[in-house]
Amino acid sequence: MSSHRLPSRPAPTAAPTTTPARVRAGRSISVLICAVAVGAATACAPSEGAVTPSLAAAAPASPGTGASASTVGAPGIGDPDFPTDGNGGYDVQHYDLRLSYDPASRKLAGSATIEAKAVQDLTSFDLDLHGLTVSRVTVDGGAASFSRSKDELVIEPGGQISNGARFEVTVDYSGVPEPMRDSANLGEYGFISTPDGAFVTCEPNGAKTWFPSNDHPSDKATYDFRITVPAGLTAIANGEMAGTPQTNAGKTTFVWREKHPMASYLATMTTGKFQIRTGTSARGLPVYVAVADNYRGSLDQLYTQTAKITDYWSTVFGPYPFSSTGGVIDDYAAGYALENQTKPIYGGFSPAPTIIAHELAHQWFGDSLTIKRWRDLWLNEGFATYAEWLWAEHTGQYTADSAFRRYYANAADPMWSYPPGTARPDDLFGAAVYNRGAMTLHALRREIGDDKFFPLIRAWTDAHRYGNVTTQEFISMAELISGKNLKSLFDAWLYEPRRPAPIP
Ligand code: ARG
Ligand code: ZN
């Protein structure tokens, strides 16, 4: 089952299913505790909205120039491990992407309109763009000059954009997209062409392979997609479809809209020949599932499991944050899945329910609550892996506790030397971030009890819905809700390069 995903992520084998500590146990008092926690959390850790300015301030625009005095937007948003990812000086509100893709020539033509707000005075700023040819850039309707330098598209509007002003940039571009091929254990990602279309998975920084963007999770925005492909193919993006696809002169245009804030790495324009099933989950959520033709036998099971698991997680993690759920199986053998917002994508395999449970848990942990810096990735992967254990526990396969103990028993596991609280840029998706990250949550659950742990999880998703988060904010909320000092627990599990002491 897990051989399809990350190479070194063995799932625990089935274990005895006596389940003393059930997910359900924490629910009865959750409303009370959440109410307390949310008030306090909002007071101590507001993170929605203006994360970009503080991050941007950390990235020098040019050496020796005070970032606040410069009118040059920094080429990076300030992630210490990915210094050129994202950009400083502005905050994107919305992307309006008009895209046309021809699988035969592999040519993409795009016009991207980006609505942004300046967070400093700007005479120049960057967008991230990998390859492709830019033909024209306008800022607020006026022609702007531009240049390219590696993956930076440098734009000079010709006047100054004042701090706080809203502005609109349109970039017209075309070319054959090149995916990212990285040595840092990331495989191939971004816009990947397939015989009948494209498989588009962008974590961590592959959005720039198909649209000019502020390509870093700390700048979330809403999206409109208008995607044109040869008639007979389907184009799938995030959110919901606006109207029925229109076919003209042998081409079909699909309009999709994601109205909730989204990180650039979760955006997709996956295209090809697909079998589609749509409907509504038992709790009333729209479901859209698509599978490549040779996975047609998996369509119904992906649909059923996706609907059921999304509904179940909404009873455990809090209300589902988006307006639809779904999933896509494409026939490109990526060897991994990605939690694309509203529609996780499975790269060339029919996912087991625990994997669907993992990707759908990301809709809360990663997609609704998005990390500010990549080193905090355990907030995504540790939580989603723990969700696999919770799903196994819920369905009577094995308990989270048995999964924890199975990993703990292996003193030689390399994850003990990789502290998951600081995901490494050269091994971002290391097994420790997943498994030791999940173990961290289990150690916390044992320490504070189910009656605090599950309310904490719900307070966490509630307080930071659609926002950006840090590990420190999670630790603070855990301490607040449990009333315990948890520093040594989190230090041992997240930050020390050795196996922590056994838990009770
Ligand atoms: N977030 C994905 C998951 O755990 C993994 C993405 C891996 N990305 C990559 N470029 N290898 O579901
Ligand atoms: Zn994951």
Side-chain angles (χ1 to χ4, degrees):
M1 154 197 89
S2 65
S3 60
H4 294 298
R5 303 191 72 257
L6 298 154
S8 49
R9 250 185 86 238
T13 50
T17 53
T18 11
T19 55
R22 280 287 188 167
V23 169
R24 241 167 266 282
R27 245 182 268 147
S28 49
I29 64 147
S30 65
V31 175
L32 175 74
I33 304 237
C34 282
V36 173
V38 169
T42 307
C44 68
S47 74
E48 280 87 338
V51 299
T52 311
S54 58
L55 276 170
S62 53
T65 311
S68 54
S70 172
T71 59
V72 176
I77 205 166
D79 190 316
D81 302 307
F82 294 85
T84 61
D85 283 9
N87 306 284
Y90 62 91
D91 186 3
V92 177
Q93 318 289 311
H94 183 75
Y95 291 93
D96 187 358
L97 305 178
R98 289 160 188 259
L99 301 146
S100 162
Y101 185 62
D102 175 38
S105 62
R106 296 174 46 220
K107 214 175 152 193
L108 177 73
S111 178
T113 295
I114 297 151
E115 292 167 30
K117 195 178 139 200
V119 298
Q120 67 177 69
D121 291 342
L122 286 172
T123 51
S124 143
F125 61 92
D126 290 8
L127 287 164
D128 300 311
L129 186 65
H130 178 76
L132 301 166
T133 301
V134 174
S135 52
R136 184 175 124 98
V137 177
T138 62
V139 176
D140 288 334
S145 57
F146 60 91
S147 59
R148 306 291 300 273
S149 161
K150 294 194 180 144
D151 287 358
E152 303 292 329
L153 168 62
V154 182
I155 297 172
E156 289 181 32
Q160 180 168 299
I161 301 169
S162 302
N163 187 6
R166 286 177 180 265
F167 61 101
E168 202 174 88
V169 190
T170 298
V171 179
D172 295 338
Y173 61 101
S174 63
V176 174
E178 279 298 328
M180 303 295 288
R181 285 189 197 88
D182 212 280
S183 53
N185 245 351
L186 292 166
E188 204 173 22
Y189 62 97
F191 190 106
I192 299 169
S193 60
T194 61
D196 63 346
F199 173 85
V200 182
T201 55
C202 299
E203 193 181 21
N205 52 12
K208 64 182 173 186
T209 64
W210 60 285
F211 65 99
S213 47
N214 200 17
D215 196 6
H216 189 273
S218 58
D219 188 2
K220 298 169 73 164
T222 54
Y223 286 71
D224 279 313
F225 305 87
R226 174 178 296 271
I227 307 169
T228 302
V229 291
L233 302 186
T234 301
I236 304 165
N238 312 86
E240 297 80 47
M241 228 189 291
T244 37
Q246 301 294 315
T247 302
N248 267 310
K251 291 183 174 187
T252 307
T253 298
F254 294 77
V255 178
W256 291 89
R257 171 166 298 169
E258 175 50 66
K259 62 185 182 193
H260 300 289
M262 178 164 77
S264 53
Y265 78 88
L266 298 169
T268 192
M269 60 163 291
T270 296
T271 53
K273 284 206 181 85
F274 287 97
Q275 304 287 317
I276 315 271
R277 182 172 165 191
T278 59
T280 307
S281 78
R283 292 172 71 96
L285 192 65
V287 184
Y288 180 102
V289 164
V291 303
D293 278 345
N294 44 335
Y295 289 91
R296 90 175 52 226
S298 301
L299 181 64
D300 289 338
Q301 97 107 14
L302 181 63
Y303 178 91
T304 305
Q305 294 290 330
T306 295
K308 190 162 84 176
I309 295 170
T310 306
D311 278 356
Y312 178 65
W313 284 153
S314 72
T315 72
V316 178
F317 302 144
Y320 182 70
F322 307 123
S323 302
S324 62
T325 185
V328 178
I329 306 177
D330 201 355
D331 59 359
Y332 173 78
Y336 59 82
L338 182 66
E339 60 268 25
N340 287 340
Q341 191 155 309
T342 68
K343 285 174 203 69
I345 187 164
Y346 306 93
F349 64 96
S350 181
T354 45
I355 300 304
I356 300 172
H358 176 116
E359 303 309 333
L360 290 173
H362 273 309
Q363 302 304 308
W364 285 259
F365 311 108
D367 297 10
S368 174
L369 280 69
T370 303
I371 54 178
K372 248 179 233 177
R373 311 189 291 189
W374 286 109
R375 60 174 60 173
D376 286 342
L377 187 64
W378 85 280
L379 289 174
N380 293 4
E381 301 305 346
F383 280 63
T385 302
Y386 197 60
E388 292 181 38
W389 302 359
L390 292 176
W391 183 254
E393 188 165 300
H394 174 66
T395 53
Q397 299 170 69
Y398 56 84
T399 63
D401 200 59
S402 68
F404 176 96
R405 285 173 204 285
R406 184 176 165 277
Y407 280 115
Y408 190 83
N410 182 7
D413 194 312
M415 75 177 159
W416 303 126
S417 64
Y418 185 144
T422 314
R424 298 200 300 240
D426 62 344
D427 191 14
L428 201 55
F429 299 98
V433 175
Y434 286 71
N435 299 326
R436 199 172 149 183
M439 295 177 83
T440 302
L441 289 172
H442 192 67
L444 173 66
R445 178 180 171 189
R446 300 283 296 198
E447 176 68 25
I448 68 178
D450 284 12
D451 62 338
K452 294 282 174 29
F453 180 80
F454 289 101
L456 163 64
I457 298 304
R458 293 172 65 110
W460 178 240
T461 63
D462 188 59
H464 298 286
R465 178 166 311 156
Y466 310 133
N468 284 98
V469 289
T470 63
T471 300
Q472 192 48 55
E473 288 169 339
F474 181 68
I475 295 173
S476 298
M477 190 179 277
E479 292 189 325
L480 185 73
I481 288 183
S482 68
K484 287 188 164 187
N485 182 333
L486 298 166
K487 184 175 190 309
S488 60
L489 182 147
F490 283 110
D491 276 353
W493 280 97
L494 292 179
Y495 298 118
E496 285 173 20
R498 65 189 66 84
R499 186 166 71 152
I503 65 165

